[in-house]
Amino acid sequence: MITLQGVSKQYYMGEVVINALDYVNLSIERGEFISIMGPSGSGKSTLLNILGVLDLPTEGSYFLEGVDITHLDDRELARIRNRHFGFIFQSYNLFPELNALENVMVPLTYAGRPKSERIKRAKELLDMVAMSHRLKHFPNQLSGGEQQRVAIARALANNPTLLLADEPTGNLASDQSDEIMELLCDLNHKGTTIVIVTHDPHISSFGKRLVRLQDGKIVSDTPVEEQVDAERRSGA
Ligand SMILES: Nc1ncnc2c1ncn2[C@@H]1O[C@H](COP(=O)(O)OP(=O)(O)OP(=O)(O)O)[C@@H](O)[C@H]1O
Ligand SMILES: [Mg+2]
């Protein structure tokens, strides 16, 4: 689905060059659930932003379904972003002046669907993340875990090819973060491809594949042997 080939990202700070990513090769197949770990500053968010086409590499190629997208213009990139990617952030990033239902309707509005259909679809999405009982609540009237569930519903609104999450449980207590991770596992079983950045080894073990970054380089890329989810399903 996605292949990064020799992807580097440099930031220029006056005279200083920062190699945030240094010749990264990475392929992602449909249905995968990948955790990205690494020390602070190792390039995790940079990699996630490039995967989600929020940012472009300085060097290297990004193939999406076989097409190198690094030469496309901003409009085409925006279209690809809206069509293929859903984002979840540590700070939820909900619109504070919109209630839960309205937040989930935002991406559907961009997609130009009629209002009745948008409401119906947003309700289905909120039902999927067990938030049907809080449709009219504003973000400041919801718990952190509830806000993140709304954010996940919003990220799924346009059926993204890939769901990207940067420290999605970073602000949550452990019981709430497990709930969020179980929700992501569930979505992955239903077919959503997921890439998540985390500092937490417990969180990373919900994934099926673990990529470790250090100094902008991939230093390991292995299957997760003791998947939390697999343990649970086998009744352990
Ligand atoms: N816009 C920018 N301008 C200059 N340098 C940047 C910029 N964004 C990131 N960097 C630098 O690039 C490197 C990688 O940053 P990145 O945010 O990807 O790290 P990270 O692994 O996500 O860290 P953390 O775990 O702290 O979130 C860091 O050294 C950072 O200081
Ligand atoms: Mg980061």
Side-chain angles (χ1 to χ4, degrees), residues 44-45 166-167 197:
K44 303 182 297 296
S45 296
D166 198 344
E167 300 270 1
V197 164

Side-chain angles (χ1 to χ4, degrees), residues 13-123:
M13 303 289 288
E15 302 278 283
V16 183
V17 181
I18 296 162
N19 290 307
L21 287 180
D22 190 5
Y23 209 81
V24 165
N25 296 310
L26 181 70
S27 284
I28 300 175
E29 304 297 334
R30 235 168 245 283
E32 286 205 280
F33 189 163
I34 303 178
S35 306
I36 299 176
M37 292 191 79
S40 181
S42 58
K44 303 182 297 296
S45 296
T46 305
L47 177 57
L48 205 74
N49 290 347
I50 286 179
L51 283 171
V53 196
L54 290 170
D55 209 350
L56 285 174
T58 321
E59 279 170 66
S61 306
Y62 178 141
F63 295 97
L64 178 65
E65 315 286 12
V67 179
D68 188 352
I69 60 149
T70 52
H71 306 294
L72 301 181
D73 67 31
D74 287 347
R75 264 186 67 185
E76 290 169 312
L77 291 173
R79 206 173 52 85
I80 285 179
R81 219 165 22 239
N82 294 335
R83 180 180 298 180
H84 289 280
F85 304 111
F87 297 93
I88 316 170
F89 302 95
Q90 177 170 357
S91 50
Y92 325 125
N93 291 14
L94 295 175
F95 298 104
E97 73 284 8
L98 301 182
N99 66 31
L101 186 68
E102 291 162 346
N103 262 284
V104 177
M105 286 171 67
V106 169
L108 301 169
T109 309
Y110 290 137
R113 307 206 197 173
K115 189 165 184 190
S116 56
E117 196 189 309
R118 280 174 0 229
I119 292 174
K120 182 166 168 279
R121 172 89 177 123
K123 282 183 175 167

Side-chain angles (χ1 to χ4, degrees), residues 158-230:
N158 290 325
N159 287 319
T161 316
L162 177 63
L163 187 61
L164 297 153
D166 198 344
E167 300 270 1
T169 61
N171 287 341
L172 300 177
S174 63
D175 53 336
Q176 285 193 323
S177 46
D178 274 19
E179 271 177 33
I180 292 297
M181 291 315 296
E182 273 157 27
L183 176 59
L184 293 182
C185 282
D186 224 40
L187 293 169
N188 179 247
H189 288 315
K190 290 180 191 147
T192 307
T193 312
I194 301 178
V195 177
I196 164 179
V197 164
T198 181
H199 277 109
D200 183 340
H202 170 67
I203 296 297
S204 77
S205 63
F206 283 86
K208 297 175 185 164
R209 174 179 167 195
L210 175 60
V211 171
R212 287 183 188 276
L213 279 180
Q214 207 169 325
D215 298 326
K217 294 185 180 71
I218 292 180
V219 290
S220 81
D221 184 346
T222 56
V224 173
E225 311 222 322
E226 309 234 340
Q227 227 187 315
V228 172
D229 192 42

